[in-house]
Amino acid sequence: MKRENVLIPEAELARQRAFMGKIRTFWGETQPAACVETFGCQQNVADGQRLMGMLETCGFRFTNEPKEADLVLVNTCAVREHAEQRVFGNLGILTHSKKENPQQVIVLCGCMAQEERVAKRIRESYRHVDLVFGPQALWKFPELLWQVYENRKRVFSIQDEHGSIAEGIPVVRERGVKAWVSVMYGCNNFCSYCIVPYVRGRERSRDPEAVLAEVRQLVQEGYKDITLLGQNVNSYGNDLDIQYDFSDLLREIDQIDGDYWIRFMSSHPKDATQKLFDTMAQSRHVARQLHLPFQSGNDRILREMNRRYTRAQYLELVQYARSVMPGLVLTSDVIIGFPGETEAEAMDTVSLVKEIGFDALFTFLYSPRPGTKAAEMPDPVPRAEKQKWFDALLEVQNAQSAALHGAYIGQTVRVLVDGESGDADFPLTSRTEGNRLVRLKGGPELAGHFIDVKITDSNTWALYGEPV
Ligand code: SAM
Ligand code: SF4
Ligand code: F3S
């Protein structure tokens, strides 16, 4: 698709701003309240912050209490069945708040909303939901919401679109030091188990200047831990009219002066390059941390998953990354119980985990997603059996994480204090450059600062320390 058809024109964005103005006028003197709940990955969290930005511009304040809200927005995730069940449960509960306040507007958006089967179920069985739209329609939220207020009719906007890029949408960020910046949207990879490409459209990269301007602004505002987001940041730039890739973007961001860390996720191993690792190694601000999902340690399963790399290629990548960045903190995603996976194949995954020694893993039991290729594959192994393999994997990883954490005891490390924990003994939370959680002694005045701390204790999930 041509680049000019991907970027939403300024005139269209101005139209959306006008709808935000109309909604503000509609409410007049009374300030309406919105309750926003986001599920899923950081990209969805970033989308949620833009939806909140639009709501704020429409005049809304925010509440965590659905009963108090004039508008409830549920920003959903479709990646596993469990995530969807939770949303249906939440929507069910909202019938009560709607009964008490029939004027309440209920909005369902995000990845689940883009699935035809979900939209059908909402249309038929969740009649209290007023507005449904998928991730590709996010920029049109003001117009869609205005249609609900103006016509008091249900609105569904879930056309299967390539997807677009809208710059300049207002954002409500979490206060503090962390910020998310989407550098691209969509996914072209069609891993056979995954719903994301079906619900988030094709890959499209934001212009480098737009990303650079946003990061510059965040650094100026005092954000210190900035994560660049994309389903596969390594294909950033493939759709731009210029020769420019993710490493080029990282290199330019790194030139922005200030005291901050840059992270990114996710990186698909099939497109990870030595250039990327060299750029990280030579940078001032890019954290020596890599999230590189491998999904399976068995070549047949990797082929069936359509991942387009082998175990050997993955090992080679990790070896190179570690050679140029000693001490690199490495994390990954892995799926156990892909259709047709045997115990021996699952144990290949466990052996890869042992061989590599990840700092942390995000482990998932395969969940069939209707509409994907894998959901059509025979899946004879009972869940209880898969659970045993899963538990074996967890045991290996937990022991590994505990050992790696234990090795920090006695060391002095630099951390960014990012919040308060509510724990009397270790009232602060902080992160190392590698994104390891460190619970800290110390007062609230340290929040938002980089400080040196001595690690005094650890467990599987966290380090404990005190400022030096
Ligand atoms: N784009 C990222 C990548 O390729 O690394 C991953 C995005 S996905 C939202 C996050 C993780 O969810 C995947 O890495 C995978 O491990 C897991 N996942 C995706 N589909 C799944 C499924 N059907 N069942 C279980 N886990 C799944
Ligand atoms: Fe899903 Fe694969 Fe795309 Fe990641 S790269 S979002 S796992 S299809
Ligand atoms: Fe993210 Fe879930 Fe969508 S993981 S991309 S919110 S399906």
Side-chain angles (χ1 to χ4, degrees):
M1 186 150 158
K2 277 204 164 130
R3 186 81 187 151
E4 65 256 34
N5 299 335
V6 170
L7 293 171
I8 303 289
E10 174 47 36
E12 192 46 63
L13 296 172
R15 254 186 91 238
Q16 297 303 321
R17 285 195 292 273
F19 285 115
M20 292 193 257
K22 282 186 178 187
I23 295 170
R24 201 183 254 276
T25 313
F26 171 86
W27 282 100
E29 294 295 296
T30 38
Q31 187 180 28
C35 176
V36 175
E37 188 170 15
T38 290
F39 296 85
C41 62
Q42 280 83 356
Q43 202 133 51
N44 222 32
V45 172
D47 283 355
Q49 295 181 340
R50 294 200 295 163
L51 290 160
M52 286 175 77
M54 290 187 263
L55 283 170
E56 192 177 67
T57 312
C58 292
F60 284 83
R61 67 180 174 87
F62 298 104
T63 169
N64 291 324
E65 198 35 77
K67 277 199 177 131
E68 274 178 23
D70 300 287
L71 180 146
V72 180
L73 181 145
V74 189
N75 184 24
T76 61
C77 169
V79 80
R80 282 170 289 276
E81 195 185 348
H82 176 69
E84 292 202 353
Q85 280 167 348
R86 270 181 68 196
V87 168
F88 280 119
N90 280 25
L91 284 182
I93 294 169
L94 289 177
T95 48
H96 304 299
S97 61
K98 183 98 173 193
K99 225 173 238 157
E100 278 176 30
N101 175 8
Q103 296 305 313
Q104 185 176 61
V105 167
I106 298 179
V107 182
L108 182 89
C109 60
C111 293
M112 239 176 108
Q114 191 67 46
E115 291 180 284
E116 233 165 78
R117 126 193 104 76
V118 171
K120 184 165 180 285
R121 188 166 161 192
I122 300 288
R123 219 186 269 276
E124 290 167 2
S125 313
Y126 292 78
R127 303 199 58 83
H128 58 302
V129 177
D130 301 282
L131 169 57
V132 178
F133 63 92
Q136 275 82 285
L138 178 140
W139 64 276
K140 288 189 247 184
F141 175 44
E143 178 174 3
L144 300 172
L145 184 57
W146 176 248
Q147 284 172 12
V148 173
Y149 282 126
E150 196 180 32
N151 306 326
R152 273 287 150 188
K153 270 197 186 144
R154 305 178 81 195
V155 175
F156 284 72
S157 178
I158 48 164
Q159 297 81 359
D160 183 11
E161 293 170 23
H162 171 287
S164 51
I165 296 176
E167 292 295 349
I169 292 182
V171 187
V172 170
R173 294 187 198 273
E174 228 174 271
R175 249 180 273 141
V177 293
K178 277 184 212 269
W180 312 108
V181 176
S182 294
V183 299
M184 58 190 300
Y185 305 101
C187 180
N188 289 357
N189 291 310
F190 290 93
C191 301
S192 62
Y193 50 81
C194 184
I195 194 74
V196 173
Y198 298 91
V199 292
R200 287 206 165 240
R202 298 290 64 75
E203 280 174 5
R204 54 241 188 243
S205 311
R206 291 177 66 195
D207 281 333
E209 295 73 38
V211 176
L212 283 163
E214 186 169 342
V215 175
R216 223 173 268 129
Q217 167 97 27
L218 289 169
V219 171
Q220 256 172 26
E221 287 173 13
Y223 287 95
K224 292 186 163 61
D225 194 340
I226 299 168
T227 306
L228 309 178
L229 300 173
Q231 291 304 340
N232 172 17
V233 293
N234 298 331
S235 49
Y236 175 85
N238 287 352
D239 57 327
L240 292 175
D241 295 331
I242 49 170
Q243 277 286 334
Y244 193 92
D245 65 16
F246 185 64
S247 306
D248 298 326
L249 181 68
L250 270 187
R251 200 172 25 76
E252 282 208 79
I253 290 176
D254 190 54
Q255 285 161 12
I256 299 171
D257 285 328
D259 208 8
Y260 64 94
W261 281 325
I262 284 285
R263 310 179 189 281
F264 57 87
M265 68 187 295
S266 281
S267 247
H268 196 308
K270 80 177 165 59
D271 304 307
T273 58
Q274 293 195 348
K275 180 180 173 189
L276 172 70
F277 301 142
D278 292 343
T279 308
M280 289 173 76
Q282 290 154 14
S283 72
R284 300 181 295 168
H285 300 287
V286 183
R288 273 36 165 194
Q289 178 229 328
L290 185 64
H291 183 64
L292 193 65
F294 73 93
Q295 314 296 0
S296 165
N298 176 273
D299 285 344
R300 186 188 77 83
I301 296 295
L302 284 172
R303 243 186 344 265
E304 292 289 305
M305 288 177 161
N306 191 30
R307 289 290 289 181
R308 289 175 275 172
Y309 53 84
T310 61
R311 176 184 177 115
Q313 284 166 334
Y314 186 85
L315 279 165
E316 226 174 87
L317 272 180
V318 168
Q319 199 178 17
Y320 184 80
R322 283 177 165 166
S323 74
V324 293
M325 288 176 282
L328 175 74
V329 168
L330 187 66
T331 59
S332 197
D333 292 350
V334 50
I335 298 176
I336 287 284
F338 184 82
E341 187 174 55
T342 63
E343 180 169 5
E345 287 166 336
M347 291 310 121
D348 282 344
T349 293
V350 177
S351 81
L352 185 72
V353 166
K354 278 190 191 150
E355 191 169 344
I356 291 203
F358 291 99
D359 289 78
L361 270 189
F362 297 88
T363 48
F364 307 106
L365 256 186
Y366 169 74
S367 167
R369 302 287 64 218
T372 62
K373 211 167 153 207
E376 305 298 316
M377 297 177 183
D379 189 4
V381 177
R383 194 189 159 97
E385 183 68 14
K386 292 182 180 184
Q387 186 68 47
K388 280 192 215 154
W389 309 343
F390 188 84
D391 294 343
L393 174 71
L394 272 194
E395 200 175 311
V396 167
Q397 182 55 43
N398 286 347
Q400 213 157 267
S401 297
L404 281 167
H405 280 171
Y408 279 90
I409 296 176
Q411 285 186 31
T412 297
V413 292
R414 186 166 183 249
V415 298
L416 175 61
V417 184
D418 59 6
E420 292 177 43
S421 69
D423 178 320
D425 292 333
F426 294 92
L428 298 175
T429 61
S430 67
R431 294 276 167 175
T432 64
E433 177 179 338
N435 217 10
R436 304 286 78 215
L437 172 65
V438 185
R439 299 194 178 283
L440 273 190
K441 292 190 186 299
E445 70 284 354
L446 294 175
H449 294 279
F450 284 103
I451 58 169
D452 286 334
V453 301
K454 184 159 179 186
I455 303 300
T456 52
D457 200 0
S458 77
N459 60 27
T460 309
W461 297 277
L463 305 170
Y464 294 82
E466 53 196 35
V468 291

